[in-house]
Amino acid sequence: MSSKEDKTLQAIKFDREHVKLDILDQLVIPYSTTYIPINTIEDAFQAIKLMQVRGAPAIAIVGAFAVVVDTHTYLQSGESSKTIKDLKDSLDYLITSRPTAVNLANALNDMKVLISLAAEDSKPVDKTTLKLLYDYAVALYDDDLANNFKLGENGLQYIISSLKEENFEGPFSIITVCNTGSLATSGHGTALGIIRSTYQNLNEENTKEDFWLDHVYPCETRPYNQGARLTTYELDYEQIPFTLICDNMVSSLINTLNREKAVKDSSAPVKFIIVGADRIVKNGDTANKIGTFQLATIANYFNNKNENQKIRFIIAAPKTTIDLNTPTGEGIVIEERPANELTTLVGPQLAQDGVGEKVTVGIATPGINVWNPAFDVTPHELIDSIVTEDPHVFTKDASGEYQLSK
Ligand code: MRU
């Protein structure tokens, strides 16, 4: 098990001087802090596919840095056989590592455009190509980090104005799913970034309002358990009060808290469900981790039942996650993952004296049919707002439609 000192929230380490890339292996968090080197585009493909790095912004950044490292190593080797066309083909290959999150495709397609503007397909990859790629990747990382802090602040302001509008007073809770924090981005996070910013500014000790964030409920996020493994790790690291729940406990949790019954030691009602996004299309339909759609449906049920206990369903994402080329959620390709992610559990053996070997245990009848979509699409009508790095929070117009822009 990692000691407190070993723990880190830095998913991506890029050495700008020596052009080296290491990623935190998210398959062994929270039990071990291990960085693995990414030396080639193929290394990045495998790490993204295996989900050693995951989260829409993080995979885009790792993909972009990997292209830089690969190109840098190639130029250092003194070879001269690679053309711009070869490089563009390898970027197309890398895009296929995970199809749903648009950030990876956006970043690598941008890189393709940049190098195409500078040189024809038949020209060799050279130092100018590398400089263009390097500058793009570094800016992608820096912008993501800066935008996450803006997004967190915008989400906080939206939370404050929503609660004021309702004349809400006292403690409240937030539900989230998957991992959308530092580990899924360059830092701070999106949905978890809003939770971070909200807790920093609106906890019981320091709030200047009549309300405060009392508790966070991360969903376990079956089958890959990003909520249980990664979001709890981040919340624990930040000392934000939280209680882990299974994905199928959400209705019961909200109902229990609405009846002012305590769950463990908090009875603060759920006022917000805040989630990230892998792709937000033109009409606001949003692909995110499987289970997101049912969270929105549950919020809708409670909102229809009792207008005084409104739960707002918020999508939090940087504008790099917006895809204006796809008109509706129908057009989103949903990644299907292998059956063994449902039929087995993988993790280290835990013993009193520490963490042991990784083991795989079976939890379903062998050889059965399994459906394992990694994401679902929440229809825009169930989404109350889309928070980005822009101070203007997107909400629906009078006819119930989103007018999104980049
Ligand atoms: O399969 P994952 O872990 O890559 O899925 C991640 C999510 O669905 C996140 O919510 C999304 O990428 C936003 S991360 C800031």
Side-chain angles (χ1 to χ4, degrees), residues 51 54-57 98 178 180 184-185 190 226 277-278 288-289 375:
M51 291 171 66
R54 26 66 51 205
R98 291 200 77 190
C178 198
T180 58
T185 62
T190 58
Q226 291 94 329
D278 287 85
N288 191 49
K289 181 50 56 195
F375 304 97

Side-chain angles (χ1 to χ4, degrees), residues 9 57 144-153 179-197 234 238 274-276 316-318 387-388:
L9 296 183
D144 187 62
L145 191 56
N147 287 339
N148 288 343
F149 284 102
K150 290 184 196 158
L151 198 160
E153 176 62 24
N179 173 265
T180 58
S182 289
L183 297 175
T185 62
S186 54
H188 198 67
T190 58
L192 200 50
I194 295 182
I195 291 171
R196 260 193 182 100
S197 298
E234 292 204 34
E238 301 277 27
I274 313 181
V275 302
V387 179
T388 71

Side-chain angles (χ1 to χ4, degrees), residues 248-267:
N248 51 9
M249 294 174 185
V250 172
S251 307
S252 187
L253 171 78
I254 296 172
N255 201 38
T256 305
L257 296 172
N258 279 353
R259 287 185 293 128
E260 292 174 23
K261 283 191 166 183
V263 169
K264 296 293 181 183
D265 51 4
S266 173
S267 54

Side-chain angles (χ1 to χ4, degrees), residues 152-169 172 194 198 202 207-212 271-272 310 312 314 384-385 387 391-395:
E153 176 62 24
N154 296 337
L156 164 68
Q157 294 310 326
Y158 177 78
I159 284 175
I160 292 175
S161 59
S162 305
L163 293 175
K164 279 186 167 167
E165 204 176 278
E166 277 183 49
N167 297 317
F168 181 86
E169 289 180 6
F172 65 92
I194 295 182
T198 303
L202 221 59
T207 185
K208 295 189 185 67
E209 308 294 339
D210 296 326
F211 41 77
W212 64 94
K271 295 301 295 170
F272 303 94
K310 182 148 176 67
R312 281 177 212 253
I314 305 174
D384 286 300
S385 57
V387 179
H392 165 76
V393 171
F394 293 107
T395 51

